[in-house]
Amino acid sequence: MRFSPGLSASLAVLLSVLLPACEWMPGRPRKADEVVAPTAVMDFSKLFTQNCVGCHGAGGNISGSFALDDPTYLAVVPEEKLRAVITGGVPGSLMPPFSIAHGGMLTDDQITVLVQGISAWKPPAANSSALPPYSAPPGQAAAGAQVYETYLASLRKMAGDAMFADGFLANRAFLGLTSDQYLRTLILIGRPELGIPNFERAIPGQPLSNEQIADMVAWLISQRKNEFGQPLVPVPQ
Amino acid sequence: MIGIFRNVCLWVDDRLHVSKLFAATAGHHVPKSSGSWFYVLGSATLLCFMIQLVTGTLLAFVYVPSASQSYETLMYLSYEQPLGWFLRGLHYWGSNFMVGIMFLHMTQVFLFGAYKYPREITWISGCILMLLTLGLAFTGQVMRFDEDAYWGTGIGAAIAGRVPFLGAQLVQLMLGGPIINSDTLSRFFTLHVFILPGSVLALISLHLRMVLTKGINEYPKPGHIVRRETYDQEYAAIIKKEGVPFFPKAISKDLVAASIVIFSILFCAAVFGPKMPNGPADPTQIVTVPRPDFYFLWIFAVAALLPVYTETFLLLAGGPVIILILFALPFVNNTGEKSWRRRPVAVITVILIYVVLGILTYLGNASPWSPEMGAWTSATTEKSRVIGRSPLELQGLVLLQNKQCRNCHAIDGVGGHRGPDLMNIGTRLTESQLIRQIIQGGGNMPAYGNKLLPYEVEALTAYLVSLRPEGQPPARDSSVPAVPPKEQSHTSLPPKPHGES
């Protein structure tokens, strides 16, 4: 009886593969690829791309809401504010709460990772004392109307007509979806990625003052036909 | 000395009947025509099972079947234990190969008419082996006790729970309680390592016993008809005329096949590795879309694609009907032509089954029907779909995220695929059609009527209307006279002059 070629072949293959089948093989699972429970993800860029990029731009991506790496924004926003907004959202607005206590999916530690990661995007040279404060009470609506007109006319020249057909910030449905602070934030930082400059360059040569911004916000608030977050009264056609 | 040795050998042989056993098994004569490459699949399946026994036993040295520890022991095997990952890979790929080759073996038996007279019991025992093997595969994926396992078991329990009258008891029996817990894992472990492999061993011995007593099917010749009255003599004549001993003559192709299978399993384990658990089982985790291992993807697809009202009936009746058909086959189709060349219906059946299973598996893998749970916060939007939009339209985009529309709707392919891609929706639906779709839903889309405030609908619609290729006007309702696009495009409320409240 001859020793079967099949058997010897399989033995040879077995030995030759088993012996060197060590750590370098491509099939070896790597610790870094381990799927961890969602609450155990602690990597900033993972957390950011899983939770924020759908609505906020960053790193060249643009999205419906402002870019979280906007230098003007990072220069003015206090870190506690970032944490508070991520934790509890902006009630009544489209910014959802993320902490588990508020019905979201992130732990407090994960929120800390996000706050620190976003703050780390702040340009080192930023000097926030020269900028208007992040928040301020609304000013005079009547004065704001005038400023807004100049503001709008200037933006129209810079960004073309398409964005202004429905009233821009003064659109009533938009105002019904937007918190007072976000109105201020938007005027402060603009949307540079969409061609809307920040408060400094919106009107060439005349940076908006803190007072002007507060007045504009007051006027915009007066244009809301509803309480923010409440149903808009249907307008008879 | 040699004399004593010889006597001992003869004594052992006399008491244990080794040489008779050998002559009756490995040495038994088989038709020469069965030494074909088509006939290696059965022994290859058996080989896979042997590999599973060995690798499974080794895994059981480390694995702890408890809800609190199973995950850790798997992690230990995968990352710490030298070559532990390779062992897991062998067991995982061994099971994939076993299921795959088993189905090929069944297909070959079916096409070669080997289930016909007098091999009915061989076929039926094979069918039971198939069920047991699938049972091993199912309980095996539960051993990972990860998200997939957790939800897979949950869905299995939900199906069992729908059995009339016995539902609750079956769930209790399956899970060891009303919910998935540590007892569930112990039960599946016991099934996976004792009950099912034991039953497989018992049935394999019956299956092989039948192969020996009723002989291996001769390679069918077209036009050669099986008749109950004459077949046995004919087969005996074939063995007499051209029979060869299985060992060492007919076995050589099996050995080559065995080495190919072993090599393939080693290769896959080394290159693709084991299937890693996709996160510890956690009932509060709702983001994962559970997905079974590939052999059950088709069932997963069937369950997902069926209309809801047929689901219970088909899931409960479908299995028994398929099993009944398989068991009845050798009795319904007991004699006649064996060669597939003269059995077009059999060939078409096989092709149909493979195509359907292939498509369902593909669909099960892509599972376009499941919403993508995380898309609402993670799906990005192309620049061209953001630039040039008014603040209201941009809030519309944010709403598309915030209201989780993106979980079902992609834009430019990014997002869920349960509903249509919305990239050019503005050219397809008019504003009023969009509003109707959003408010009333329909066709697998929930109605948002009472979940959206009027100005939210307005913002959404404004954004959706803006989703169209550059220069293309919005869709127009053909029942109303055309209006210049400029006037039609801003339907949102124009700002009132200030002072008016």
Side-chain angles (χ1 to χ4, degrees):
Chain A
M1 184 193 99
R2 218 175 77 247
F3 197 55
S4 144
L7 193 61
S8 44
S10 51
L11 274 178
V13 165
L14 190 81
L15 287 179
S16 60
V17 176
L18 256 189
L19 291 180
C22 293
E23 313 311 309
W24 55 267
M25 306 245 67
R28 180 165 198 243
R30 261 173 296 272
K31 195 91 187 156
D33 302 335
E34 184 185 339
V35 181
V36 293
T39 47
V41 176
M42 284 295 161
D43 177 52
F44 169 65
S45 71
K46 218 177 210 174
L47 284 172
F48 191 81
T49 44
Q50 278 172 1
N51 294 292
C52 312
V53 297
C55 298
H56 294 283
N61 252 327
I62 60 180
S63 202
S65 191
F66 70 102
L68 277 167
D69 60 357
D70 185 276
T72 321
Y73 185 69
L74 292 172
V76 296
V77 72
E79 233 178 80
E80 320 83 75
K81 178 70 191 179
L82 279 180
R83 173 183 298 279
V85 171
I86 302 172
T87 303
V90 179
S93 86
L94 305 181
M95 169 68 192
F98 280 88
S99 85
I100 291 170
H102 289 81
M105 311 276 276
L106 300 183
T107 63
D108 291 349
D109 290 343
Q110 289 176 309
I111 291 175
T112 305
V113 170
L114 277 170
V115 171
Q116 287 168 348
I118 293 171
S119 306
W121 280 331
K122 185 168 162 168
N127 174 11
S128 55
S129 58
L131 299 170
Y134 167 74
S135 63
Q140 303 291 322
Q146 236 105 64
V147 189
Y148 183 73
E149 235 159 74
T150 331
Y151 176 69
L152 200 62
S154 169
L155 291 185
R156 246 178 210 277
K157 267 187 240 137
M158 290 187 253
D161 279 341
M163 298 173 76
F164 303 92
D166 56 15
F168 203 59
L169 296 180
N171 180 290
R172 288 207 284 158
F174 169 76
L175 289 170
L177 289 163
T178 309
S179 72
D180 298 353
Q181 173 60 49
Y182 193 48
L183 290 172
R184 181 179 171 88
T185 306
L186 282 179
I187 297 172
L188 265 175
I189 71 175
R191 291 292 304 266
E193 73 278 28
L194 300 178
I196 307 293
N198 69 1
F199 74 99
E200 268 177 309
R201 286 178 289 271
I203 306 173
Q206 297 170 38
L208 292 165
S209 69
N210 183 30
E211 201 186 345
Q212 286 175 313
I213 298 171
D215 290 348
M216 259 205 276
V217 171
W219 180 74
L220 288 170
I221 294 171
S222 76
Q223 294 305 296
R224 269 202 204 112
K225 290 297 182 269
N226 61 311
E227 290 297 314
F228 159 66
Q230 293 304 307
L232 195 70
V233 188
V235 184
Q237 300 273 314
Chain B
M1 185 66 200
I2 292 185
I4 297 174
F5 183 68
R6 202 181 112 88
N7 282 341
V8 170
C9 286
L10 284 177
W11 179 84
V12 169
D13 189 39
D14 179 61
R15 299 303 189 274
L16 288 181
H17 290 234
V18 177
S19 56
K20 279 197 196 121
L21 189 67
F22 184 86
T25 54
H28 83 288
H29 283 231
V30 298
K32 197 162 171 229
S33 62
S34 71
S36 143
W37 285 111
F38 289 111
Y39 282 69
V40 302
L41 295 166
S43 71
T45 314
L46 181 60
L47 172 75
C48 291
F49 180 65
M50 296 301 164
I51 294 176
Q52 292 308 85
L53 281 186
V54 174
T55 53
T57 308
L58 293 176
L59 284 173
F61 278 115
V62 177
Y63 181 78
V64 178
S66 101
S68 56
Q69 279 169 292
S70 63
Y71 196 79
E72 271 166 51
T73 52
L74 280 189
M75 291 298 125
Y76 176 79
L77 271 168
S78 304
Y79 298 123
E80 323 266 324
Q81 173 89 38
L83 288 182
W85 66 270
F86 192 62
L87 184 61
R88 286 198 57 227
L90 289 178
H91 199 65
Y92 173 63
W93 285 101
S95 89
N96 285 348
F97 273 84
M98 181 164 169
V99 173
I101 299 174
M102 174 190 71
F103 276 115
L104 290 179
H105 175 53
M106 261 184 104
T107 311
Q108 177 266 325
V109 166
F110 177 69
L111 285 178
F112 281 46
Y115 58 86
K116 297 192 177 192
Y117 178 88
R119 301 189 180 83
E120 300 90 344
I121 297 199
T122 325
W123 169 265
I124 290 177
S125 60
C127 289
I128 300 175
L129 278 170
M130 172 197 77
L131 296 176
L132 291 172
T133 306
L134 290 179
L136 277 166
F138 183 78
T139 51
Q141 64 182 4
V142 174
M143 293 303 102
R144 251 182 265 127
F145 216 58
D146 59 356
E147 286 293 328
D148 285 346
Y150 195 93
W151 290 104
T153 325
I155 290 163
I159 296 174
R162 293 193 204 166
V163 174
F165 309 118
L166 297 173
Q169 283 87 336
L170 279 178
V171 172
Q172 172 81 27
L173 185 69
M174 182 172 158
L175 303 184
I179 53 158
I180 300 169
N181 55 26
S182 215
D183 287 349
T184 315
L185 186 54
S186 314
R187 274 171 201 225
F188 277 85
F189 182 73
T190 312
L191 277 172
H192 188 70
V193 306
F194 298 116
I195 300 177
L196 292 173
S199 316
V200 168
L201 283 174
L203 268 140
I204 286 180
S205 55
L206 173 66
H207 197 65
L208 293 185
R209 178 85 209 134
M210 298 319 297
V211 171
L212 290 176
T213 49
K214 292 297 167 191
I216 296 180
N217 191 29
E218 75 284 1
Y219 199 102
K221 288 199 203 74
H224 198 98
I225 307 290
V226 177
R227 285 191 194 82
R228 237 163 281 170
E229 304 75 36
T230 55
Y231 181 80
D232 289 330
Q233 288 102 309
E234 282 168 20
Y235 188 75
I238 293 176
I239 295 291
K240 196 154 191 192
K241 200 169 122 225
E242 45 160 302
V244 292
F246 177 66
F247 185 87
K249 277 276 186 300
I251 201 174
S252 61
K253 287 203 174 71
D254 289 271
L255 290 177
V256 175
S259 55
I260 293 174
V261 168
I262 292 177
F263 178 77
S264 309
I265 293 176
L266 289 169
F267 180 83
C268 289
V271 173
F272 305 115
K275 180 160 174 169
M276 292 305 289
N278 72 342
D282 175 0
T284 61
Q285 220 287 79
I286 47 157
V287 177
T288 33
V289 181
R291 201 164 291 170
D293 284 355
F294 92 87
Y295 15 76
F296 297 118
L297 279 172
W298 66 275
I299 302 181
F300 178 62
V302 169
L305 293 174
L306 284 177
V308 181
Y309 57 90
T310 59
E311 218 170 63
T312 308
F313 174 73
L314 281 180
L315 283 180
L316 291 180
V321 167
I322 293 176
I323 293 168
L324 205 73
I325 292 177
L326 284 175
F327 279 25
L329 176 71
F331 303 105
V332 176
N333 193 263
N334 192 243
T335 54
E337 189 69 58
K338 267 188 187 174
S339 170
W340 59 269
R341 289 169 197 277
R342 298 273 172 96
R343 289 165 59 220
V345 177
V347 176
I348 290 171
T349 310
V350 165
I351 293 175
L352 213 65
I353 290 174
Y354 271 78
V355 168
V356 169
L357 286 186
I359 292 175
L360 285 175
T361 303
Y362 168 79
L363 284 176
N365 190 37
S367 51
W369 54 80
S370 3
E372 210 176 285
M373 293 308 207
W376 70 286
T377 54
S378 65
T380 52
T381 312
E382 296 234 323
K383 285 200 169 75
S384 64
R385 313 267 177 215
V386 187
I387 287 173
R389 265 59 177 191
S390 70
L392 177 71
E393 289 164 345
L394 292 174
Q395 288 292 51
L397 170 56
V398 173
L399 274 161
L400 214 54
Q401 312 284 141
N402 182 291
K403 298 296 170 189
Q404 315 206 346
C405 314
R406 274 309 267 287
N407 292 4
C408 292
H409 290 286
I411 301 178
D412 299 299
V414 185
H417 293 279
R418 190 180 168 96
D421 194 311
L422 296 177
M423 62 181 167
N424 288 327
I425 187 71
T427 60
R428 259 182 293 140
L429 297 187
T430 65
E431 193 182 328
S432 56
Q433 288 170 323
L434 283 169
I435 294 175
R436 196 181 321 126
Q437 176 73 34
I438 296 170
I439 305 263
Q440 299 178 353
N444 274 334
M445 169 159 156
Y448 279 84
N450 48 13
K451 290 185 212 111
L452 291 175
L453 301 168
Y455 51 77
E456 291 179 322
V457 177
E458 194 178 331
L460 273 170
T461 322
Y463 179 67
L464 292 175
V465 168
S466 84
L467 285 181
R468 31 178 225 271
E470 202 157 343
Q472 205 159 321
R476 200 161 59 71
D477 187 346
S478 48
S479 64
V480 293
V483 227
K486 207 168 170 205
E487 278 168 58
Q488 200 196 21
S489 72
H490 61 93
T491 44
S492 31
L493 309 167
K496 295 271 153 60
H498 59 275
E500 187 202 81
S501 76

